[in-house]
Amino acid sequence: MAHLANPLATAEQLYRRSTFSSLPQDLQEAVFFATQCLTQAAGLLLELPQSVTAQANVILARYWLVDSPMAHEFSDVSAASLYLVAKMGAFPRSPRDVSTVYAYLLSPNSAFFRTPSAETTTNDPTSYYQTEDQYYKFQKNMLELEARILYSLSFNVHAALPHGLTVTYLQTLDFLSHSRQEISLRASQYLNTALLSPQLLYLTHQPHALATAAIYNAARDLGASMPECAWWEVFDVDREELGFLVVGMRSLEGWIRTRKEELPSILGQGMPRRKDVEAEMKLRSGDTGDAEDEVMRMMDSKQEAE
């Protein structure tokens, strides 16, 4: 049964991530959410199965447990994770395809994390055209990051997903006397949403627990009749763990809405980059470095003139 379980984050890893990170918690969470969404969008454009993209989300989250998000450009980490997972399975994608998709998603022409406008509703290939130099630079960064991810994770890139277990559990419960297609879809939607959660639900809970929580949430949303007994214990999930996961999955929508209002410069102008996060941090700290640099340049120019 080892193939149905995942290596989970340790308490030390979670503590170090929250305590020693160079980013404030709200920025760290926003970067994580945006990068996971970018990975999902790229998976769709590359026509990859959701299982491949979801595994890439899990690998990316694991990597950022052991390395700082600010160590590399966020989009490069997303591309390397997706490329790595895709090429290990039956749906490999060429570096050129990956490069083209990410160039589009990061361009002003893309609607990703942008308010619809004339620029995003008209297709302008020049906005995401890549020269050969740009392509080779992207490919070099992606392949270097792929190797770094493998090294950081000790080449353990196994990622079991809860989607298959969810359907099996629903069959055991006779789909809670509800439409099997409708309740299966709703449960899968909760599982896919949990991939984006900054609470790292896929790194702190095993697939069987995630599947049980998704079924519970789907049943609540659709008004399906659940057994009156503690049915989740049959699937080796206790009440406390179930409650935490149920709340965690359902709270993401409200969290996203709040963060978008608080961080429009990070989650409202396309995919954020490291320079955007650094600018936000300077703004918060009241850094006047730019003004000081300008004064120094003026003084240097005056001395040269003299």
Side-chain angles (χ1 to χ4, degrees), residues 33-51:
F33 171 76
T35 309
Q36 295 289 45
C37 287
L38 179 67
T39 306
Q40 284 287 327
L44 285 173
L45 293 182
L46 287 167
E47 298 182 349
L48 290 170
Q50 173 60 13
S51 59

Side-chain angles (χ1 to χ4, degrees), residues 5 15 27-29 38 73 79-80 93 112-113 120 135 144 159 165 187 190 196 206 243 246 255 275 285 293 301:
Y15 174 76
L27 286 178
Q28 188 176 23
E29 292 176 348
L38 179 67
E73 191 61 64
R93 293 295 183 266
F112 183 76
F113 274 174
T120 60
Y135 164 66
E144 288 178 351
L165 280 176
Y190 272 108
L196 315 177
Q206 292 291 359
V246 165
W255 176 88
K275 64 180 182 180
S285 63
D293 291 344
S301 299

Side-chain angles (χ1 to χ4, degrees), residues 4-276:
L4 296 178
N6 285 323
L8 299 182
T10 64
E12 181 184 1
Q13 287 176 321
L14 296 173
Y15 174 76
R16 292 182 61 183
R17 177 180 182 271
S18 61
T19 306
F20 299 107
S21 173
S22 60
L23 293 177
Q25 184 176 356
D26 60 338
L27 286 178
Q28 188 176 23
E29 292 176 348
V31 166
F32 179 88
F33 171 76
T35 309
Q36 295 289 45
C37 287
L38 179 67
T39 306
Q40 284 287 327
L44 285 173
L45 293 182
L46 287 167
E47 298 182 349
L48 290 170
Q50 173 60 13
S51 59
V52 173
T53 309
Q55 289 179 62
N57 285 134
V58 175
I59 296 302
L60 189 155
R62 288 182 192 165
Y63 172 64
W64 272 352
L65 268 183
V66 297
D67 203 356
S68 170
M70 295 298 288
H72 306 279
E73 191 61 64
F74 314 134
S75 58
D76 289 344
V77 180
S78 170
S81 301
L82 193 59
Y83 176 74
L84 169 62
V85 174
K87 82 173 189 179
M88 291 191 304
F91 305 94
R93 293 295 183 266
S94 69
R96 175 71 73 175
D97 289 342
V98 177
S99 176
T100 301
V101 163
Y102 275 86
Y104 168 72
L105 289 172
L106 298 175
S107 71
N109 201 213
S110 168
F112 183 76
F113 274 174
R114 285 188 175 89
T115 303
S117 63
E119 191 173 21
T120 60
T121 54
T122 56
N123 185 29
D124 179 17
T126 60
S127 68
Y128 51 89
Y129 171 77
Q130 283 186 305
T131 64
E132 286 300 303
D133 286 343
Q134 289 173 326
Y135 164 66
Y136 284 119
K137 181 180 178 182
F138 174 90
Q139 182 189 42
K140 177 176 178 291
N141 291 339
M142 183 178 70
L143 296 180
E144 288 178 351
L145 261 171
E146 178 193 13
R148 185 171 181 85
I149 291 171
L150 287 170
Y151 173 79
S152 299
L153 300 182
S154 301
F155 289 83
N156 183 4
V157 290
H158 168 72
L161 298 176
H163 299 68
L165 280 176
T166 302
V167 176
T168 301
Y169 290 175
L170 283 170
Q171 289 175 333
T172 303
L173 296 167
D174 195 24
F175 294 93
L176 302 175
S177 302
H178 204 81
S179 165
R180 63 178 60 191
Q181 181 177 0
E182 188 176 13
I183 196 168
S184 299
L185 175 61
R186 182 59 62 91
S188 296
Q189 289 170 342
Y190 272 108
L191 292 175
N192 292 334
T193 300
L195 290 163
L196 315 177
S197 173
Q199 292 179 296
L200 306 180
L201 300 180
Y202 274 75
L203 302 192
T204 55
H205 299 273
Q206 292 291 359
H208 70 276
L210 293 166
T212 305
I215 291 172
Y216 187 95
N217 276 326
R220 284 186 58 184
D221 289 353
L222 300 176
S225 56
M226 290 183 280
E228 295 182 2
C229 61
W231 57 271
W232 48 85
E233 294 181 356
V234 176
F235 305 125
D236 197 25
V237 180
D238 59 45
R239 189 179 188 87
E240 289 72 20
E241 184 177 20
L242 176 65
F244 177 85
L245 286 171
V246 165
V247 173
M249 290 180 178
R250 300 182 75 89
S251 63
L252 185 62
E253 183 178 357
W255 176 88
I256 295 170
R257 191 181 304 112
T258 301
R259 283 290 181 265
K260 283 186 174 181
E261 294 173 356
E262 295 175 349
L263 299 170
S265 62
I266 303 298
L267 296 177
Q269 300 177 12
M271 177 63 195
R273 303 172 189 256
R274 282 192 300 178
K275 64 180 182 180
D276 300 322

